[in-house]
Amino acid sequence: TKALVAIFEKLTDKILLVAPTGRAAKRLAEITHKYASTIHRTLKYDFTKGRFKYDRDNPLTCDLIIIDESSMIDTYLMYQLLRAIPSSSKLVIIGDVNQLPSIGPGTVLTDFINSQTIPTVRLNAIFRQAAGSKIILNAHRINEGKMPFTENFGKSDFFFVEAKEPEEVKKTILDLVTKKIPQEHRFDSKKDIQVLVPMRKGICGIDALNRDLQYALTPHASHHSFRVGDKVMQLRNNYSKDVYNGDIGYVTAIDMEEEKMYIQMDDKEVSYEFTETDELVLAYAVSIHKYQGSECPCIVMPVHTTHFKLLTKNLLYTGVTRGKKLVFLVGTKKALAIAVKNEDVMLRYTGLKTRLQTTCR
Protein backbone atom coordinates (compact mmCIF):
# COMPACT_ATOMS: atom_id res chain seq x y z
CA THR A 1 0.00 0.00 0.00
CA LYS A 2 2.84 2.39 0.82
CA ALA A 3 4.48 1.63 -2.54
CA LEU A 4 1.23 2.16 -4.48
CA VAL A 5 0.63 5.49 -2.77
CA ALA A 6 4.24 6.62 -3.37
CA ILE A 7 3.97 5.80 -7.10
CA PHE A 8 0.56 7.38 -7.63
CA GLU A 9 1.56 10.53 -5.71
CA LYS A 10 3.90 11.30 -8.62
CA LEU A 11 0.79 11.56 -10.81
CA THR A 12 -1.97 12.90 -8.57
CA ASP A 13 -2.82 14.08 -5.07
CA LYS A 14 -6.43 12.90 -5.37
CA ILE A 15 -5.92 9.61 -3.50
CA LEU A 16 -8.45 8.17 -1.04
CA LEU A 17 -7.55 5.49 1.51
CA VAL A 18 -10.54 3.73 3.08
CA ALA A 19 -11.33 0.73 5.28
CA PRO A 20 -14.56 -0.75 6.69
CA THR A 21 -13.83 -0.05 10.38
CA GLY A 22 -12.28 2.75 12.40
CA ARG A 23 -9.56 0.45 13.71
CA ALA A 24 -8.64 -0.73 10.21
CA ALA A 25 -8.60 2.88 8.93
CA LYS A 26 -6.28 3.91 11.78
CA ARG A 27 -3.96 1.02 11.00
CA LEU A 28 -3.93 2.01 7.31
CA ALA A 29 -3.04 5.60 8.27
CA GLU A 30 -0.22 4.38 10.56
CA ILE A 31 1.28 2.23 7.79
CA THR A 32 1.09 4.82 4.99
CA HIS A 33 1.50 8.02 7.07
CA LYS A 34 -1.47 9.36 5.09
CA TYR A 35 -5.04 10.19 6.05
CA ALA A 36 -7.35 7.17 5.94
CA SER A 37 -11.05 7.01 6.77
CA THR A 38 -13.89 4.56 7.25
CA ILE A 39 -16.08 3.96 4.19
CA HIS A 40 -19.09 5.41 6.02
CA ARG A 41 -17.20 8.61 6.83
CA THR A 42 -15.87 8.91 3.28
CA LEU A 43 -19.36 8.57 1.79
CA LYS A 44 -20.80 10.93 4.49
CA TYR A 45 -24.02 9.37 5.71
CA ASP A 46 -26.88 11.89 5.88
CA PHE A 47 -29.11 10.89 8.81
CA THR A 48 -31.84 13.36 7.82
CA LYS A 49 -32.22 11.81 4.37
CA GLY A 50 -31.35 8.24 5.36
CA ARG A 51 -28.70 7.83 2.66
CA PHE A 52 -25.10 8.65 1.78
CA LYS A 53 -24.19 12.10 0.43
CA TYR A 54 -21.88 10.64 -2.22
CA ASP A 55 -23.44 8.38 -4.86
CA ARG A 56 -23.74 7.96 -8.64
CA ASP A 57 -25.14 11.49 -9.06
CA ASN A 58 -22.63 13.07 -6.67
CA PRO A 59 -19.41 11.01 -7.00
CA LEU A 60 -16.29 11.25 -4.88
CA THR A 61 -13.36 13.35 -6.13
CA CYS A 62 -10.49 10.90 -6.62
CA ASP A 63 -8.10 9.49 -9.20
CA LEU A 64 -7.22 6.48 -7.03
CA ILE A 65 -9.05 4.80 -4.18
CA ILE A 66 -7.49 1.99 -2.12
CA ILE A 67 -9.75 -0.20 0.03
CA ASP A 68 -8.03 -2.18 2.78
CA GLU A 69 -9.43 -5.09 4.85
CA SER A 70 -12.02 -5.60 2.11
CA SER A 71 -12.97 -9.11 3.29
CA MET A 72 -14.95 -7.35 6.05
CA ILE A 73 -17.16 -5.41 3.60
CA ASP A 74 -20.68 -6.69 2.99
CA THR A 75 -22.69 -6.48 -0.24
CA TYR A 76 -24.67 -3.37 0.69
CA LEU A 77 -21.65 -1.27 1.74
CA MET A 78 -19.56 -2.30 -1.28
CA TYR A 79 -22.49 -1.39 -3.57
CA GLN A 80 -22.79 2.06 -1.96
CA LEU A 81 -19.04 2.64 -2.28
CA LEU A 82 -18.71 1.47 -5.90
CA ARG A 83 -21.58 3.63 -7.11
CA ALA A 84 -19.85 6.70 -5.58
CA ILE A 85 -16.51 6.12 -7.36
CA PRO A 86 -16.15 8.10 -10.63
CA SER A 87 -15.58 5.94 -13.74
CA SER A 88 -12.30 7.82 -14.38
CA SER A 89 -10.81 6.60 -11.08
CA LYS A 90 -8.56 3.60 -10.44
CA LEU A 91 -9.67 1.17 -7.72
CA VAL A 92 -7.36 -1.14 -5.75
CA ILE A 93 -8.99 -3.67 -3.41
CA ILE A 94 -6.77 -5.23 -0.73
CA GLY A 95 -7.91 -8.02 1.57
CA ASP A 96 -7.50 -11.58 2.81
CA VAL A 97 -10.22 -14.06 1.82
CA ASN A 98 -8.94 -16.50 4.43
CA GLN A 99 -10.12 -14.27 7.27
CA LEU A 100 -13.64 -14.21 8.67
CA PRO A 101 -16.39 -13.17 6.24
CA SER A 102 -18.32 -9.92 6.65
CA ILE A 103 -20.93 -9.76 9.41
CA GLY A 104 -23.45 -8.43 6.87
CA PRO A 105 -24.59 -10.44 3.81
CA GLY A 106 -22.36 -11.56 0.97
CA THR A 107 -18.83 -12.77 0.29
CA VAL A 108 -17.86 -9.83 -1.88
CA LEU A 109 -14.07 -10.19 -2.01
CA THR A 110 -14.26 -13.97 -2.57
CA ASP A 111 -16.81 -13.48 -5.38
CA PHE A 112 -14.69 -10.78 -7.02
CA ILE A 113 -11.67 -13.11 -7.08
CA ASN A 114 -13.52 -16.30 -8.04
CA SER A 115 -15.30 -14.59 -10.92
CA GLN A 116 -11.88 -14.21 -12.65
CA THR A 117 -13.14 -10.98 -14.22
CA ILE A 118 -10.89 -8.66 -12.18
CA PRO A 119 -7.06 -8.67 -12.35
CA THR A 120 -5.91 -10.35 -9.13
CA VAL A 121 -2.52 -10.68 -7.47
CA ARG A 122 -2.03 -13.13 -4.59
CA LEU A 123 0.77 -12.52 -2.10
CA ASN A 124 1.68 -15.99 -0.83
CA ALA A 125 5.50 -16.09 -0.62
CA ILE A 126 7.24 -16.01 2.76
CA PHE A 127 10.20 -13.65 2.33
CA ARG A 128 13.50 -13.90 4.11
CA GLN A 129 12.73 -11.43 6.91
CA ALA A 130 9.60 -13.42 7.81
CA ALA A 131 11.01 -16.90 7.27
CA GLY A 132 12.12 -17.17 10.89
CA SER A 133 8.67 -16.32 12.23
CA LYS A 134 6.61 -19.26 13.46
CA ILE A 135 3.55 -16.99 13.51
CA ILE A 136 3.74 -16.56 9.73
CA LEU A 137 4.80 -20.16 9.11
CA ASN A 138 1.91 -21.50 11.22
CA ALA A 139 -0.58 -19.07 9.66
CA HIS A 140 0.29 -20.56 6.26
CA ARG A 141 -0.01 -24.09 7.65
CA ILE A 142 -3.45 -23.33 9.12
CA ASN A 143 -4.51 -21.91 5.76
CA GLU A 144 -3.42 -25.14 4.09
CA GLY A 145 -5.47 -27.21 6.57
CA LYS A 146 -2.35 -28.46 8.38
CA MET A 147 -1.72 -28.54 12.13
CA PRO A 148 0.51 -25.66 13.29
CA PHE A 149 3.83 -26.61 14.86
CA THR A 150 3.13 -26.86 18.61
CA GLU A 151 6.56 -27.80 19.98
CA ASN A 152 7.90 -25.08 22.26
CA PHE A 153 11.67 -24.96 22.09
CA GLY A 154 14.35 -22.28 21.69
CA LYS A 155 13.51 -18.68 20.85
CA SER A 156 10.12 -18.52 19.22
CA ASP A 157 7.22 -16.16 18.62
CA PHE A 158 4.52 -18.88 18.67
CA PHE A 159 3.66 -21.04 21.70
CA PHE A 160 1.09 -23.74 22.39
CA VAL A 161 0.25 -24.32 26.08
CA GLU A 162 -1.66 -27.53 26.78
CA ALA A 163 -4.62 -27.15 29.16
CA LYS A 164 -7.33 -29.82 29.19
CA GLU A 165 -10.14 -28.46 31.40
CA PRO A 166 -11.86 -25.07 30.87
CA GLU A 167 -10.88 -23.91 34.39
CA GLU A 168 -7.26 -24.80 33.62
CA VAL A 169 -7.46 -22.85 30.32
CA LYS A 170 -8.74 -19.76 32.16
CA LYS A 171 -6.16 -20.06 34.96
CA THR A 172 -3.33 -20.44 32.40
CA ILE A 173 -4.49 -17.38 30.43
CA LEU A 174 -4.70 -15.27 33.60
CA ASP A 175 -1.19 -16.36 34.59
CA LEU A 176 0.20 -15.62 31.11
CA VAL A 177 -1.36 -12.15 30.88
CA THR A 178 -0.72 -10.95 34.44
CA LYS A 179 2.66 -12.57 35.21
CA LYS A 180 4.52 -14.77 32.73
CA ILE A 181 4.46 -12.67 29.53
CA PRO A 182 5.13 -9.31 31.29
CA GLN A 183 8.02 -10.86 33.25
CA GLU A 184 9.64 -12.83 30.43
CA HIS A 185 8.95 -10.56 27.46
CA ARG A 186 8.59 -7.13 29.11
CA PHE A 187 5.13 -6.57 27.64
CA ASP A 188 2.50 -4.41 29.34
CA SER A 189 -0.48 -6.57 30.41
CA LYS A 190 -3.05 -4.06 29.14
CA LYS A 191 -1.42 -2.26 26.22
CA ASP A 192 0.74 -4.98 24.64
CA ILE A 193 -1.35 -8.13 25.24
CA GLN A 194 -4.79 -8.88 23.79
CA VAL A 195 -6.84 -11.95 24.69
CA LEU A 196 -8.95 -13.10 21.71
CA VAL A 197 -11.82 -15.53 22.36
CA PRO A 198 -14.24 -17.31 19.99
CA MET A 199 -17.28 -17.17 22.33
CA ARG A 200 -18.80 -14.84 24.92
CA LYS A 201 -20.22 -17.42 27.35
CA GLY A 202 -18.59 -20.26 29.28
CA ILE A 203 -15.81 -20.71 31.84
CA CYS A 204 -13.13 -19.52 29.39
CA GLY A 205 -15.42 -17.20 27.43
CA ILE A 206 -15.12 -13.43 26.95
CA ASP A 207 -17.33 -12.44 29.91
CA ALA A 208 -15.59 -14.66 32.48
CA LEU A 209 -12.09 -13.71 31.30
CA ASN A 210 -12.91 -9.98 31.32
CA ARG A 211 -14.28 -10.21 34.85
CA ASP A 212 -11.22 -12.08 36.18
CA LEU A 213 -8.68 -9.97 34.26
CA GLN A 214 -10.35 -6.77 35.49
CA TYR A 215 -10.09 -8.04 39.07
CA ALA A 216 -6.42 -8.98 38.60
CA LEU A 217 -5.22 -5.93 36.65
CA THR A 218 -7.47 -3.15 38.01
CA PRO A 219 -8.09 -4.28 41.59
CA HIS A 220 -9.42 -1.02 43.14
CA ALA A 221 -13.12 -1.22 43.88
CA SER A 222 -15.67 1.02 42.16
CA HIS A 223 -19.37 1.83 42.47
CA HIS A 224 -19.48 1.57 38.69
CA SER A 225 -19.13 -1.50 36.44
CA PHE A 226 -15.94 0.10 35.09
CA ARG A 227 -12.86 1.00 37.12
CA VAL A 228 -10.11 3.60 36.66
CA GLY A 229 -7.41 1.91 34.57
CA ASP A 230 -9.82 -0.46 32.80
CA LYS A 231 -9.20 -1.38 29.18
CA VAL A 232 -12.42 -0.75 27.22
CA MET A 233 -13.71 -1.01 23.66
CA GLN A 234 -16.17 1.22 21.77
CA LEU A 235 -19.04 -0.86 20.36
CA ARG A 236 -20.39 1.45 17.65
CA ASN A 237 -19.38 4.48 15.59
CA ASN A 238 -19.91 7.76 17.44
CA TYR A 239 -19.08 10.55 15.01
CA SER A 240 -19.75 13.34 17.54
CA LYS A 241 -17.03 11.94 19.82
CA ASP A 242 -14.79 10.91 16.89
CA VAL A 243 -14.62 7.32 18.20
CA TYR A 244 -15.44 4.23 16.18
CA ASN A 245 -16.57 0.64 16.50
CA GLY A 246 -13.59 -1.39 17.74
CA ASP A 247 -11.58 1.55 19.16
CA ILE A 248 -9.78 0.60 22.39
CA GLY A 249 -9.04 3.00 25.25
CA TYR A 250 -8.33 3.20 28.98
CA VAL A 251 -10.46 4.68 31.77
CA THR A 252 -8.58 7.66 33.22
CA ALA A 253 -11.22 9.01 35.65
CA ILE A 254 -14.76 8.38 36.94
CA ASP A 255 -16.59 11.43 38.31
CA MET A 256 -19.48 10.17 40.44
CA GLU A 257 -20.85 13.70 41.09
CA GLU A 258 -20.89 14.75 37.43
CA GLU A 259 -21.81 11.18 36.43
CA LYS A 260 -19.09 11.14 33.77
CA MET A 261 -16.36 8.73 32.79
CA TYR A 262 -13.19 9.76 30.92
CA ILE A 263 -11.45 7.46 28.44
CA GLN A 264 -8.03 7.93 26.85
CA MET A 265 -8.50 6.91 23.19
CA ASP A 266 -5.14 7.10 21.38
CA ASP A 267 -4.07 10.77 21.63
CA LYS A 268 -7.35 12.22 22.94
CA GLU A 269 -9.43 12.00 26.10
CA VAL A 270 -13.14 11.36 25.51
CA SER A 271 -15.86 11.98 28.09
CA TYR A 272 -18.93 9.75 28.45
CA GLU A 273 -22.07 10.47 30.44
CA PHE A 274 -22.96 7.44 32.58
CA THR A 275 -26.02 7.05 30.33
CA GLU A 276 -23.65 6.62 27.33
CA THR A 277 -21.48 3.88 28.79
CA ASP A 278 -23.61 1.20 27.11
CA GLU A 279 -21.41 2.04 24.08
CA LEU A 280 -18.44 0.53 25.96
CA VAL A 281 -17.42 -2.95 27.10
CA LEU A 282 -14.39 -4.30 28.94
CA ALA A 283 -11.68 -5.20 26.41
CA TYR A 284 -9.12 -7.32 28.25
CA ALA A 285 -10.70 -10.15 26.24
CA VAL A 286 -12.61 -9.49 22.99
CA SER A 287 -14.06 -11.56 20.18
CA ILE A 288 -11.93 -12.41 17.15
CA HIS A 289 -14.65 -10.87 14.94
CA LYS A 290 -14.35 -7.55 16.80
CA TYR A 291 -10.55 -7.53 16.54
CA GLN A 292 -10.39 -8.28 12.82
CA GLY A 293 -8.51 -5.44 11.09
CA SER A 294 -6.43 -4.75 14.22
CA GLU A 295 -3.16 -6.13 15.55
CA CYS A 296 -1.29 -6.27 18.85
CA PRO A 297 2.28 -7.13 19.92
CA CYS A 298 1.02 -10.23 21.76
CA ILE A 299 -2.11 -12.34 21.26
CA VAL A 300 -3.35 -14.95 23.77
CA MET A 301 -6.15 -17.22 22.55
CA PRO A 302 -8.01 -20.18 24.09
CA VAL A 303 -8.52 -23.12 21.73
CA HIS A 304 -10.82 -25.54 23.52
CA THR A 305 -13.56 -27.99 22.56
CA THR A 306 -16.11 -26.02 24.65
CA HIS A 307 -15.96 -23.53 21.77
CA PHE A 308 -16.53 -26.28 19.18
CA LYS A 309 -19.41 -24.42 17.45
CA LEU A 310 -17.02 -21.67 16.39
CA LEU A 311 -13.80 -23.63 15.91
CA THR A 312 -13.11 -22.96 12.23
CA LYS A 313 -10.01 -22.53 10.11
CA ASN A 314 -10.89 -18.90 9.28
CA LEU A 315 -11.36 -18.03 12.95
CA LEU A 316 -8.07 -19.61 14.05
CA TYR A 317 -6.17 -18.05 11.13
CA THR A 318 -7.66 -14.59 11.81
CA GLY A 319 -6.79 -14.80 15.51
CA VAL A 320 -3.20 -15.98 14.94
CA THR A 321 -2.50 -13.28 12.32
CA ARG A 322 -3.45 -10.49 14.77
CA GLY A 323 -0.18 -11.10 16.67
CA LYS A 324 2.80 -8.95 15.62
CA LYS A 325 5.49 -10.39 17.91
CA LEU A 326 4.02 -13.22 20.03
CA VAL A 327 1.11 -15.66 19.86
CA PHE A 328 0.06 -18.00 22.69
CA LEU A 329 -2.61 -20.66 22.05
CA VAL A 330 -3.97 -22.27 25.23
CA GLY A 331 -6.03 -25.45 25.14
CA THR A 332 -5.99 -28.89 23.53
CA LYS A 333 -4.52 -30.31 20.35
CA LYS A 334 -7.89 -31.94 19.68
CA ALA A 335 -9.56 -28.51 19.52
CA LEU A 336 -6.72 -27.25 17.33
CA ALA A 337 -7.21 -30.17 14.94
CA ILE A 338 -10.99 -29.55 14.80
CA ALA A 339 -10.40 -25.87 13.89
CA VAL A 340 -7.76 -26.58 11.24
CA LYS A 341 -9.97 -29.15 9.47
CA ASN A 342 -13.22 -27.20 9.76
CA GLU A 343 -13.82 -25.06 6.68
CA ASP A 344 -17.54 -24.94 7.36
CA VAL A 345 -17.90 -21.16 7.28
CA MET A 346 -21.57 -20.41 6.82
CA LEU A 347 -22.41 -21.03 3.14
CA ARG A 348 -23.76 -17.89 1.50
CA TYR A 349 -25.68 -17.81 -1.76
CA THR A 350 -24.86 -14.46 -3.33
CA GLY A 351 -25.15 -14.66 -7.12
CA LEU A 352 -22.46 -11.97 -7.42
CA LYS A 353 -19.85 -14.24 -9.01
CA THR A 354 -22.32 -15.34 -11.73
CA ARG A 355 -23.49 -11.78 -12.36
CA LEU A 356 -19.92 -10.59 -12.78
CA GLN A 357 -19.10 -13.41 -15.20
CA THR A 358 -22.26 -12.68 -17.21
CA THR A 359 -21.76 -8.92 -17.29
CA CYS A 360 -18.00 -8.65 -17.73
CA ARG A 361 -17.48 -11.19 -20.53
Side-chain angles (χ1 to χ4, degrees):
T1 309
K2 279 176 76 173
L4 285 169
V5 171
I7 292 164
F8 268 89
E9 274 184 329
K10 307 286 185 189
L11 306 171
T12 180
D13 58 358
K14 294 175 184 173
I15 299 171
L16 291 179
L17 303 178
V18 301
T21 67
R23 291 284 293 174
K26 275 183 186 170
R27 184 75 195 113
L28 184 56
E30 287 167 9
I31 291 166
T32 59
H33 304 294
K34 303 291 176 187
Y35 177 75
S37 171
T38 63
I39 296 169
H40 283 87
R41 191 152 222 211
T42 301
L43 296 178
K44 292 194 165 73
Y45 193 79
D46 187 333
F47 289 95
T48 58
K49 295 179 180 175
R51 58 185 172 84
F52 290 107
K53 176 185 171 184
Y54 291 102
D55 55 20
R56 189 177 286 117
D57 299 322
N58 181 33
L60 295 161
T61 303
C62 60
D63 294 322
L64 170 69
I65 182 163
I66 298 177
I67 312 172
D68 197 17
E69 294 289 353
S70 57
S71 65
M72 299 169 71
I73 305 174
D74 64 28
T75 303
Y76 174 77
L77 188 57
M78 185 63 88
Y79 167 70
Q80 297 295 339
L81 177 59
L82 291 179
R83 70 200 293 262
I85 299 173
S87 56
S88 58
S89 175
K90 301 279 186 196
L91 171 63
V92 178
I93 302 169
I94 299 171
D96 187 347
V97 290
N98 297 303
Q99 290 187 30
L100 296 165
S102 59
I103 291 174
T107 51
V108 179
L109 181 62
T110 302
D111 288 347
F112 279 171
I113 293 169
N114 291 344
S115 73
Q116 298 184 330
T117 59
I118 296 165
T120 301
V121 176
R122 289 180 185 269
L123 304 181
N124 50 26
I126 301 178
F127 290 94
R128 190 165 50 190
Q129 66 269 34
S133 168
K134 269 177 76 176
I135 294 174
I136 292 170
L137 180 63
N138 280 333
H140 278 257
R141 286 183 67 83
I142 292 164
N143 248 345
E144 293 162 7
K146 298 175 183 174
M147 279 285 282
F149 293 118
T150 55
E151 303 79 17
N152 302 326
F153 53 82
K155 281 193 75 175
S156 180
D157 57 4
F158 186 100
F159 297 91
F160 176 75
V161 184
E162 186 117 32
K164 290 192 164 35
E165 299 303 321
E167 279 288 359
E168 190 188 353
V169 171
K170 185 170 77 166
K171 186 172 176 295
T172 303
I173 289 173
L174 290 171
D175 186 56
L176 283 169
V177 174
T178 61
K179 296 174 187 170
K180 194 168 183 182
I181 297 171
Q183 288 168 5
E184 293 182 9
H185 300 277
R186 304 296 172 96
F187 282 171
D188 185 281
S189 291
K190 295 178 188 176
K191 293 182 179 173
D192 299 328
I193 304 170
Q194 184 61 58
V195 180
L196 296 182
V197 190
M199 290 177 71
R200 182 159 293 284
K201 302 299 179 186
I203 292 169
C204 51
I206 293 169
D207 294 342
L209 282 164
N210 264 326
R211 190 172 56 248
D212 289 358
L213 284 166
Q214 180 191 46
Y215 182 78
L217 296 172
T218 318
H220 18 276
S222 170
H223 298 296
H224 202 270
S225 53
F226 297 107
R227 303 174 178 183
V228 173
D230 269 341
K231 182 179 184 178
V232 295
M233 176 184 273
Q234 176 76 16
L235 285 178
R236 50 184 178 268
N237 294 339
N238 187 324
Y239 295 103
S240 63
K241 294 185 189 296
D242 194 28
V243 290
Y244 303 97
N245 184 9
D247 281 358
I248 287 177
Y250 303 88
V251 179
T252 53
I254 298 174
D255 190 325
M256 299 304 292
E257 286 185 18
E258 293 286 327
E259 295 193 342
K260 281 188 176 180
M261 188 162 75
Y262 297 87
I263 315 285
Q264 189 68 36
M265 294 274 192
D266 293 326
D267 55 355
K268 61 179 180 291
E269 190 174 63
V270 185
S271 68
Y272 289 78
E273 303 283 344
F274 280 3
T275 54
E276 298 176 307
T277 55
D278 61 339
E279 294 184 19
L280 299 164
V281 289
L282 290 173
Y284 300 103
V286 300
S287 74
I288 297 163
H289 277 92
K290 271 288 183 193
Y291 211 69
Q292 193 167 338
S294 305
E295 57 182 18
C296 189
C298 177
I299 293 298
V300 179
M301 185 175 161
V303 186
H304 195 268
T305 49
T306 51
H307 298 154
F308 73 95
K309 285 184 180 176
L310 289 173
L311 285 176
T312 66
K313 189 171 82 170
N314 299 61
L315 191 101
L316 181 62
Y317 170 81
T318 303
V320 165
T321 53
R322 300 309 91 203
K324 285 166 70 176
K325 295 179 180 176
L326 275 178
V327 170
F328 283 82
L329 300 184
V330 181
T332 64
K333 289 181 183 176
K334 181 183 177 182
L336 207 53
I338 289 169
V340 165
K341 297 300 178 189
N342 185 5
E343 297 188 37
D344 188 25
V345 176
M346 188 172 65
L347 183 61
R348 298 180 178 188
Y349 297 97
T350 68
L352 179 59
K353 173 184 159 185
T354 306
R355 289 290 294 274
L356 282 166
Q357 289 171 335
T358 307
T359 309
C360 299
R361 284 179 178 168

